[in-house]
């Protein structure tokens, strides 16, 4: 027998999955066919001598769907060096995307990383890196756990290098600017460099001061001209062309001065080139510093993990590096110390502060058998635990990976900026050339035309456009992690702000998911404790969750339970047995009717049922003793969260397999708008699709395995952190605290982030829409001033800084409920 997985396309609900399973199961030789709707895959077990994969695929296609053998794609994130603007990112993205077998190529300028999804059978990492090099950039070492510090050091070194280059540039630019402009402002100028007495020396000294500045900004020229000649000009190309034009014209002016035409002493443009390079270096430094702040959430998370662990081997305790801890190691943690890795307590009791991961302020009690999370803090007791997850498998490592992936992803809103950025630089170069020619044809001098040409090139800044979205996404997802809201990328973060209806699973989401005893109603002649002892004694032999709730309540009251004899479960009705020789019955109304016992507490039973509780009658020797009621209680913050959602203009719905009466009672208790009751687990996804058919964007909140298809099919799937791994894998957003108020946090954070992105895009577009015409001389045409290239450089340098600074405002957002 062979087992093969196939990818299925075209399924919309569980009925589709069932149809495929039935049709494939009918193929001779197929032993088992199982469709997973959440991941859209078919696992088929078949006899290769009787059938084959092409026949199975054809059968699926005949059923109305399409299938293919899944490609085992690999995903990698490659740091990219040498990018200076979003046009660079577009060039790298295109170069990688042209390789065979590359399914996804996405380069994020803000994080300076390329995310690549590729078929290893068609291309290799070396080929991907080679395509980056051919495009004119550097593919750096792929980040792993072992070199994460190296990556941080590389970034810090880059920032220090830019700062040093700026200092060198400024040291030579300040005297250059003084010399070039001082004589016009009446400042004292030494006679040997005064243009009136020694114009040649005046020009040569400026050239000598300019050369170190050009060397300090050498990357603008090496990258700018290289990408220009390869047909992918970027921001560096604009700077390189503009400043090179100024320097070349200055050299021409020196030549004319040397031939005796001293009038050219007033047309030297060296200071323009020097000031432009200096200001842009300053802007790049400020941009690098502020960009570094956008990923502080990652740094904080990475800093939570302790560096060492105390491993116990017999009576010997050994302190070892955290990297050396293996699954199964026994670790001791003393009060005040951090839990080094995930594990299970095998000895001791304590309380643990998990707030750094879950945001939950109250310490959590832990004892033998409980799970502990790496990086949480042991408060007041020494414990020993067995390591169950280490390295990249720990909760902290997975959170860091999830946040990193989210910060490196792109939101749909960024596509417009990416498309525009791809055409931006060539258009700017064309506008610059055209503007200069227009002014020449209008009768103005070559010097005037060159001023316009340089100003247009320098003021245009695609960086602001490229940084507008990813910086806000980075800060927004990082802020979410601080609140215990893990957002898996830009798409769900963007989509969440448009959600019109939130669908909640009931059990474990709106409710605690664990039944508890809520009411005791006694008949005449019986007391509360007596009734509870009878009910708990009868139920202690039962394995039903409702019976467990009754037993737990009795144990918490320290009641002494009695032995039950002749225990028997009566399907669909309840249980019976003997306690102290007396016949005990516990069950529903049908059980009483069957035994012809009068129900004198029927009104109480109906009232409890209307409140969403499950009433159970207790009778002894044919006489009614009372009612015990059990319910899955509503979480403390459910009602408040739903009220806030209503105030935000968001509708709410609840989906459950419970009967209509119980479901509506719970819905009324918390204020739910729409109740979907008696829904089979496999039909939850179909109910979500029906709601989507109304045109609203739907967020689904759930925690169970049976919620996974609904989470996957919804516009935004939100899994609560106490739920199953399957639900968390299927979801777009994970709530670490299992608190429904964090659904509100998610939507509020999404709205704040999208508002910030729109502000960034407005200013980035607005800056270029206004700046380029001014640089081209539109104000001058109507009698106004002409923009000086140095002012254009300052404006360009600050545009990127302003966009990143605006994104950083998200770090200060306060979400209070």
């Amino acid at each position: 027998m062979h087992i093969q997985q196939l990818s299925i396309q075209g399924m919309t609900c569980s009925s589709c999955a069932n149809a495929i399973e039935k049709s494939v199961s009918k193929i001779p030789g197929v032993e088992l066919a199982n469709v997973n709707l959440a991941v859209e895959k078919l696992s088929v077990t078949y006899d290769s001598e009787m059938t084959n994969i092409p026949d199975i695929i054809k059968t699926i296609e005949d059923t109305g769907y399409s299938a293919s053998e899944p490609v085992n794609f690999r995903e990698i994130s490659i740091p990219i060096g040498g990018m200076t603007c979003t046009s660079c990112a577009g060039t790298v993205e295109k170069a990688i995307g042209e390789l065979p077998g590359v399914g996804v190529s996405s380069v994020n300028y803000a994080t300076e990383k390329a995310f690549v999804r590729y078929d290893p059978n068609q291309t290799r990492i070396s080929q991907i890196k080679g395509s980056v090099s051919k495009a004119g950039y550097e593919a750096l070492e792929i980040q792993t756990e072992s070199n994460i510090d190296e990556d941080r050091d590389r970034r810090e070194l880059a920032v220090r290098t830019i700062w040093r280059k700026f200092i060198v540039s400024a040291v030579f630019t300040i005297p250059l600017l003084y010399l070039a402009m001082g004589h016009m402002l009446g400042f004292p100028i030494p006679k040997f460099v005064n243009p009136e007495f020694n114009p040649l020396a005046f020009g040569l000294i400026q050239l000598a001061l300019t050369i170190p500045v050009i060397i300090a900004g050498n990357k603008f020229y090496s990258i700018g001209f290289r990408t220009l000649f390869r047909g992918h000009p970027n921001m560096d190309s604009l700077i390189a062309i503009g400043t090179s034009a100024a320097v070349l014209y200055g050299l021409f002016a020196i030549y004319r001065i040397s031939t005796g035409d001293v009038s050219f002493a007033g047309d030297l443009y060296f200071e323009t080139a020097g000031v432009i390079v200096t200001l842009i270096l300053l802007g790049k430094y400020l941009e690098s510093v502020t960009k570094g702040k956008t990923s502080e959430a990652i740094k904080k998370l990475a800093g939570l993990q302790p560096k060492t662990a105390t491993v116990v081997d017999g009576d010997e305790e050994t302190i070892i590096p955290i990297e050396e801890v293996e699954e199964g190691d026994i670790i001791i943690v003393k009060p005040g110390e951090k839990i080094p890795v995930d594990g299970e307590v095998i000895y001791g009791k304590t309380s643990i502060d998990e707030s750094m991961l879950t945001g939950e302020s109250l310490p959590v009690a832990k004892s033998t058998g409980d799970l502990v999370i790496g990086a949480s803090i042991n408060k007041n007791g020494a414990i020993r635990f067995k390591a169950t997850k280490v390295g990249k498998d720990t909760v902290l490592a997975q959170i860091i990976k999830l946040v990193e992936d989210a910060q490196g992803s792109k939101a749909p809103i960024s596509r417009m900026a990416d498309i525009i950025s791809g055409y931006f630089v060539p258009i700017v170069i064309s506008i610059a050339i055209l503007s200069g020619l227009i002014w020449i044809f209008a009768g103005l001098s070559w010097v005037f035309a060159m001023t316009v040409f340089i100003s247009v090139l320098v003021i245009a800044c695609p960086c602001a456009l490229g940084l507008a979205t990813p910086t806000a996404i980075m800060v927004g997802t990082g802020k979410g992690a601080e609140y215990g809201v893990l957002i898996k990328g830009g798409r769900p973060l963007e989509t969440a702000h448009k959600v019109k209806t939130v669908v909640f699973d009931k059990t474990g989401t709106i409710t605690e998911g664990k039944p508890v005893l809520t009411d005791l109603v006694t008949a005449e002649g019986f007391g509360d404790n007596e009734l509870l002892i009878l009910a708990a004694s009868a139920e202690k032999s039962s394995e039903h969750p409702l019976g467990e709730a009754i037993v737990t309540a009795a144990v918490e009251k320290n009641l002494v339970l009695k032995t039950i004899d002749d225990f028997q479960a009566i399907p669909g009705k309840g249980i019976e047995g003997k306690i102290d020789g007396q016949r005990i019955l516990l069950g529903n109304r049908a059980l009483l009717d069957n035994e012809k016992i009068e129900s004198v507490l029927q009104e109480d039973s109906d009232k409890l049922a209307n409140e969403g509780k499950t009433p159970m009658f207790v009778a002894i020797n044919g006489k009614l003793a009372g009612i015990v009621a059990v319910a899955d209680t509503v979480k403390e913050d459910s009602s408040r969260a739903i009220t806030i959602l209503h105030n935000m203009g968001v509708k709410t719905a609840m989906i459950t397999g419970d009967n209509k009466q119980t479901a509506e009672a719970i819905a009324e208790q918390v204020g739910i708008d729409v109740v979907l009751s008696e829904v089979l687990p496999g039909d939850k996804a179909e109910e979500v699709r029906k709601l989507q058919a109304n045109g609203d964007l739907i967020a689904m909140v759930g925690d169970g395995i049976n919620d996974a298809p609904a989470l996957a099919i919804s516009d935004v799937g939100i899994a609560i952190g106490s739920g199953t791994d399957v639900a968390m894998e299927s979801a777009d957003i994970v709530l670490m605290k299992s608190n429904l108020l964090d659904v509100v946090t998610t939507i509020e954070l999404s709205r704040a982030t999208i508002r910030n992105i729109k502000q960034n895009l407005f200013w980035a577009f607005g800056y270029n829409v206004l700046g380029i015409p001014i640089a081209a001389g539109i104000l001058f045409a109507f009698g106004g001033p002409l923009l000086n290239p140095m002012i254009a450089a300052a404006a360009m340098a600050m545009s990127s800084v302003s966009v990143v600074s605006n994104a950083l405002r998200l770090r200060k957002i306060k979400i209070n409920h």
Side-chain angles (χ1 to χ4, degrees):
M1 285 290 177
H2 290 265
I3 300 175
Q4 177 70 45
Q5 272 203 338
L6 298 177
S7 294
I8 308 295
Q9 295 84 40
M11 294 191 297
T12 58
C13 64
S14 57
S15 298
C16 302
N18 292 335
I20 293 169
E21 285 180 356
K22 286 180 181 178
S23 59
V24 173
S25 297
K26 291 177 181 177
I27 299 173
V30 171
E31 183 177 289
L32 179 67
N34 182 39
V35 175
N36 187 323
L37 178 63
V39 296
E40 297 184 323
K41 283 192 170 56
L42 162 70
S43 178
V44 57
T45 304
Y46 67 100
D47 185 344
S48 59
E49 293 183 2
M50 298 180 68
T51 189
N52 53 43
I53 292 300
D55 287 344
I56 294 171
I57 290 176
K58 186 176 184 304
T59 300
I60 294 169
E61 290 173 347
D62 291 342
T63 310
Y65 307 90
S66 56
S68 59
E69 294 186 56
V71 175
N72 293 318
F73 280 102
R74 283 189 62 191
E75 295 177 351
I76 56 168
S77 182
I78 306 175
I80 306 295
M83 294 194 299
T84 56
C85 69
T86 187
S87 296
C88 304
T91 301
V92 176
E93 198 170 277
K94 185 178 179 183
I96 297 173
E98 289 174 348
L99 290 172
V102 172
V104 176
S105 170
S106 176
V107 178
N108 190 316
Y109 171 56
T111 58
E112 299 177 337
K113 288 181 181 178
F115 172 80
V116 186
R117 190 168 185 263
Y118 69 101
D119 179 1
N121 296 320
Q122 296 189 56
T123 194
R124 294 179 177 273
I125 293 176
S126 58
Q127 291 173 288
I128 295 171
K129 288 185 172 182
S131 69
V132 174
S133 300
K134 286 179 184 176
Y137 302 91
E138 184 183 3
L140 303 172
E141 187 179 352
I142 296 173
Q143 186 172 303
T144 62
E145 289 180 75
S146 59
N147 67 8
I148 189 168
D149 290 336
E150 293 175 20
D151 184 64
R152 184 195 62 229
D153 294 343
R154 176 183 62 80
R155 286 174 175 270
E156 290 177 354
L157 176 62
V159 171
R160 290 196 299 270
T161 301
I162 295 173
W163 176 249
R164 283 198 299 269
K165 287 187 174 187
F166 163 70
I167 293 298
V168 169
S169 182
V171 164
F172 287 94
T173 297
I174 291 170
L176 171 63
L177 187 61
Y178 182 88
L179 182 62
M181 309 295 292
H183 66 286
M184 291 187 285
L185 300 173
F187 296 158
I189 301 290
K191 188 174 181 179
F192 78 96
V193 289
N194 193 307
E196 292 182 17
F197 302 101
N198 198 343
L200 185 58
F202 177 70
L204 291 172
I205 292 294
Q206 287 191 51
L207 174 61
L209 290 170
T210 303
I211 290 172
V213 179
I214 299 299
I215 293 171
N218 67 307
K219 273 204 166 184
F220 297 138
Y221 302 95
S222 61
I223 295 174
F225 285 121
R226 183 171 66 225
T227 55
L228 178 65
F229 296 145
R230 288 181 175 175
H232 302 291
N234 61 3
M235 190 205 75
D236 288 339
S237 303
L238 301 180
I239 298 166
I241 295 170
T243 55
S244 294
V247 171
L248 289 172
Y249 188 83
L251 291 172
F252 173 72
I254 289 176
Y255 165 73
R256 292 301 301 267
I257 292 169
S258 68
T259 62
D261 190 351
V262 296
S263 64
F264 273 85
D267 290 337
L268 295 168
Y269 263 81
F270 291 119
E271 82 284 356
T272 298
V275 171
I276 287 173
V277 171
T278 302
L279 286 174
I280 292 171
L281 281 171
L282 175 61
K284 283 291 172 189
Y285 169 74
L286 294 174
E287 181 187 316
S288 297
V289 171
T290 49
K291 273 168 64 180
K293 291 179 181 177
T294 61
S295 58
E296 282 190 358
I298 295 287
K299 295 175 186 173
K300 286 180 183 177
L301 287 169
L304 291 175
Q305 189 164 30
K307 302 296 182 186
T308 61
T310 305
V311 175
V312 181
D313 186 4
D315 295 329
E316 187 178 342
E317 296 181 8
T318 308
I319 298 175
I320 63 173
I322 193 75
E323 295 81 10
E324 295 182 17
V325 177
E326 301 288 348
E327 285 187 33
D329 283 349
I330 305 301
I331 299 168
I332 186 169
V333 185
K334 296 169 185 174
E337 293 181 346
K338 285 185 176 181
I339 306 294
V341 295
D342 298 358
E344 180 181 339
V345 178
I346 60 171
Y347 176 79
K349 292 183 179 180
T350 187
S351 61
I352 291 180
D353 179 0
E354 297 178 346
S355 60
M356 69 290 295
L357 294 175
T358 66
E360 193 65 60
S361 57
L362 293 176
V364 181
K366 302 286 183 179
S367 58
T368 302
D370 289 334
L371 299 179
V372 291
I373 304 173
S376 54
I377 302 172
N378 184 24
K379 298 293 285 185
N380 54 19
I383 57 169
R384 294 189 182 196
F385 72 91
K386 181 171 70 174
T388 56
K389 290 183 179 179
V390 299
K392 62 181 176 58
D393 295 324
T394 64
V395 170
L396 179 62
Q398 290 175 351
I399 290 173
I400 291 173
K401 176 70 165 58
L402 191 151
V403 176
E404 279 183 334
D405 290 346
Q407 292 191 339
S409 67
K410 289 186 177 182
I413 198 172
S414 68
R415 290 176 190 151
M416 176 178 62
D418 286 347
I419 293 169
I420 292 173
S421 297
Y423 295 100
F424 187 84
V425 175
I427 290 172
V428 168
I429 294 173
S430 302
I431 292 172
I433 294 170
L434 185 61
S435 300
L437 290 174
I438 288 172
W439 286 114
I440 289 173
F441 290 137
L444 278 86
S445 67
W446 279 92
V447 174
F448 184 94
M450 189 178 69
T451 301
V452 170
F453 175 72
I454 295 172
S455 294
V456 172
L457 289 177
V458 171
I459 200 168
C461 180
C463 297
L465 206 56
L467 289 168
T469 300
T471 48
I473 294 292
M474 288 175 72
V475 178
T477 51
K479 193 68 183 176
E482 287 182 29
Y483 282 104
V485 176
L486 304 182
I487 303 167
K488 298 182 181 179
R491 188 201 66 78
L493 180 61
E494 178 183 337
T495 307
H497 88 283
K498 296 183 284 189
V499 164
K500 296 298 182 185
T501 302
V502 178
V503 180
F504 295 95
D505 173 53
K506 181 185 80 72
T507 307
T509 303
I510 290 177
T511 65
E512 294 288 355
K514 186 177 181 181
V516 294
L517 180 72
T518 57
D519 298 87
L520 291 169
V521 181
T522 56
E524 187 177 347
F526 293 90
D528 285 353
N529 285 351
E530 183 183 1
L531 178 65
L532 184 53
I533 288 171
L534 286 172
S537 300
E539 286 284 8
K540 71 178 181 180
S541 297
S542 168
E543 295 180 354
H544 197 283
L546 300 182
E548 186 181 336
I550 296 170
V551 175
T552 300
V555 171
E556 287 175 353
K557 284 191 171 188
N558 295 318
L559 300 178
V560 179
L561 303 187
K562 299 180 179 182
T563 302
I564 183 168
D565 300 315
D566 300 333
F567 175 84
Q568 183 181 352
I570 305 170
K573 295 179 181 177
I575 59 173
E576 70 170 302
K578 287 185 178 180
I579 296 177
D580 295 337
Q582 301 181 89
R583 186 167 178 254
I584 299 293
L585 295 173
L586 188 149
N588 56 24
R589 175 63 192 268
L591 181 62
L592 293 190
D593 291 342
N594 191 57
E595 296 291 326
K596 296 183 171 50
I597 298 173
E598 185 182 357
S599 175
V600 294
L601 300 176
Q602 190 58 47
E603 281 189 24
D604 296 281
S605 173
D606 293 341
K607 181 186 174 191
L608 291 168
N610 289 333
E611 292 173 355
K613 300 169 183 176
T614 302
M616 289 176 281
F617 296 93
V618 182
I620 182 167
N621 287 336
K623 181 182 179 183
L624 186 64
I627 298 173
V628 289
V630 174
D632 182 6
T633 56
V634 171
K635 287 182 180 177
E636 186 178 345
D637 292 313
S638 294
S639 179
R640 191 163 159 228
I642 288 162
T643 299
I644 297 173
L645 286 172
H646 288 159
N647 293 338
M648 294 169 67
V650 178
K651 291 191 298 183
T652 56
M654 184 180 77
I655 192 165
T656 178
D658 284 352
N659 63 66
K660 186 176 180 180
Q661 186 181 35
T662 302
E664 289 183 347
I666 295 291
E668 185 178 353
Q669 192 175 339
V670 296
I672 290 285
D673 299 315
V674 179
V675 180
L676 303 170
S677 58
E678 299 177 13
V679 178
L680 297 174
D683 293 336
K684 287 185 178 181
E686 182 61 25
E687 292 297 330
V688 171
R689 185 170 290 281
K690 287 177 184 176
L691 292 172
Q692 288 173 321
N694 296 328
D696 287 349
L697 260 73
I698 305 296
M700 170 70 192
V701 186
D703 71 326
I705 290 174
N706 56 21
D707 296 326
L711 290 169
I713 208 168
S714 61
D715 298 290
V716 181
I718 303 175
I720 59 174
S722 63
T724 64
D725 290 341
V726 175
M728 293 170 72
E729 282 293 324
S730 304
D732 302 304
I733 297 168
V734 178
L735 309 181
M736 294 295 291
K737 287 187 287 185
S738 303
N739 187 329
L740 291 195
L741 284 172
D742 283 341
V743 176
V744 178
T745 300
T746 300
I747 296 175
E748 287 185 351
L749 188 61
S750 173
R751 290 180 177 181
T753 304
I754 296 304
R755 189 162 54 244
N756 191 280
I757 289 173
K758 288 179 178 177
Q759 291 167 356
N760 286 347
L761 289 173
F762 173 80
W763 289 112
F765 279 118
Y767 167 82
N768 286 294
V769 168
L770 292 174
I772 292 175
I774 292 171
I778 194 168
L779 295 181
F780 183 83
F782 292 95
L786 181 67
L787 186 68
N788 187 296
M790 290 183 283
I791 296 174
M796 194 222 80
M798 296 313 296
S799 64
S800 296
V801 177
S802 64
V803 164
V804 179
S805 298
N806 186 50
L808 287 174
R809 290 192 308 111
L810 281 171
R811 292 166 59 200
K812 298 180 181 178
I813 187 175
K814 301 283 185 190
I815 298 177
N816 299 309
H817 304 307

